[in-house]
Amino acid sequence: MQVVHGHTHVPVNARGAVIAIGNFDGVHRGHRALLARAVARAKQTGHQSGVMVFEPHPREFFHPAEPLFRLTPLNRKLAIFERLGLKLAFVENFDAHFASLSAQEFIERVLVAGLGVTHVIVGYDFYFGHKRTGNPQMLAAAGARLDFGVTVVAPVAEAGEVFSSSAVRVYLAQGDVKGATHVLGEPWRVTGNIVGGAKRGTGLGFPTANVPMPKGTALAHGIYAVRAHVDGVVHNAAAYLGTRPTFDNGMPVLEVFLIDFTGDLYGRHIEVEFIDFIREDRKFRSSQALVAQMDEDVKKIRSVLAGQA
């Protein structure tokens, strides 16, 4: 997939695409329905399929003091876009200049002059331009005038639940990673580089890989059944997120124990895929009691992950 940053120096081969526009945080099932329309439309018309996203997330730009729980960092989004069959990704730098563009300027300067779009696909709740004055109806009217097509995708829902990034965040805040998986279409992941810790897990017989959580992450504290991806190898694992109340009630950290693994993981990149919630975090009367519970947790996690194979 070809990645193009900005709209002022777009390669000739990337112009004239069918593009889907949005933040696509989570790239959930509603997003995927919209992106699939872009891929299908591009095939029908013989054009390339593309997607436009904004970095940083507009909410981060307008409210920098309020940490945003981002479900998918840009590199993860791009990997999913490519897997879904998109050929182009346009990454717009959402800065003060971009935020000041009126809705009409966004259409004329970015979509028409910059990208030369042939067709644009947006969700029913897509608002754009300075003070969010642009909407799907305005975009469709502009398309009719400026010779590009517009498709507006209705909400995608199942059993009365509209698939949304907000719904995923609510599920994760409750520890309901299965619910999040249902909306996303695949398990939610955290990625990062493994850092050193207090080695307390090693002393207890459960050496863990410590992974800093992205800023703003709101995941319920507790034990999870996860799959850990390290250097292309997938490991069954147990993950703990919490403040270690049995020991120090410190800052929350994600600690991942790779089942049946031996070796040094420090400094390596890891992706942690959340499969199921096992239990809430709690304080134990002794380290021995904690170890006994961890033995039970790992047994249950083995069973859970065996059932997911």
Side-chain angles (χ1 to χ4, degrees), residues 14-19 38 41-42 45-50 111-112 115-121 143 146-151:
R15 291 178 56 82
V18 175
I19 69 164
R41 178 78 187 186
T45 59
H47 296 97
Q48 291 202 85
S49 59
L111 299 183
V112 177
L115 276 60
V117 297
T118 56
H119 201 96
V120 174
I121 299 177
L146 298 171
D147 196 30
F148 63 86
V150 175
T151 297

Side-chain angles (χ1 to χ4, degrees), residues 105-125:
E105 287 172 329
F106 173 77
I107 293 169
E108 294 177 355
R109 295 184 188 180
V110 179
L111 299 183
V112 177
L115 276 60
V117 297
T118 56
H119 201 96
V120 174
I121 299 177
V122 297
Y124 68 100
D125 57 352

